[in-house]
Amino acid sequence: MTSELELNSKGISMKSFLAWIATGIALMTAPAFAAEQIKVVERPVGETTVDLAAKGDSMGDMLVFANGVFDAANKTQVGTDQGYCVRTVVGKSWECFWTLILKAGQITVEGPFLDEGDSLLVVTGGTGKYAGAKGSLKLHPRDATPTGYDFTYDLL
């Protein structure tokens, strides 16, 4: 075992040596991908609301979906998404979990989907190119209907 005296005789302090080792370990355990932003458009045409509780919009109802996902220009289909949401606050929000499926892999997200305005969800993982993914998803309605959602995935 290398002693502190031997390290100092080589011009390396113990703090520098430990910092170097910690950096090496951190690099070995880092995700395989670099920071990336993915922008896609979801067209919500494959959705069904399942009325499970009191008649009408009520806590516990489910929204299940499988939709096409298109490039940022909303022209070319680049993948699909599928998942479900549970109504948590009537007229305000759902708690959702879904998977974005792209050619290079999958990205999973979880969090609140708001009835109005932007929603911010957490990226919980992925497969393929996105294995170990972390980050966030900003969901923005394209119009008042909405006929589509802009999804911005910010991967760390």
Side-chain angles (χ1 to χ4, degrees), residues 95-106:
E95 186 65 23
C96 299
F97 175 84
W98 73 78
T99 304
L100 172 67
I101 303 165
L102 301 171
K103 187 176 181 179
Q106 302 172 6

Side-chain angles (χ1 to χ4, degrees), residues 6-7 12 15 40-41 53 57 63 67 87-88 90 94 100 103 105-106 109 119 138 141 147 149 155-156:
E6 289 174 38
L7 290 173
I12 302 171
K15 285 182 184 178
V40 294
V41 177
D57 187 9
L63 172 67
N67 294 308
R87 177 57 100 180
T88 52
V90 174
W94 303 79
L100 172 67
K103 187 176 181 179
Q106 302 172 6
V109 299
S119 300
K138 180 181 176 187
T147 58
Y149 295 95
L155 305 179
L156 305 176

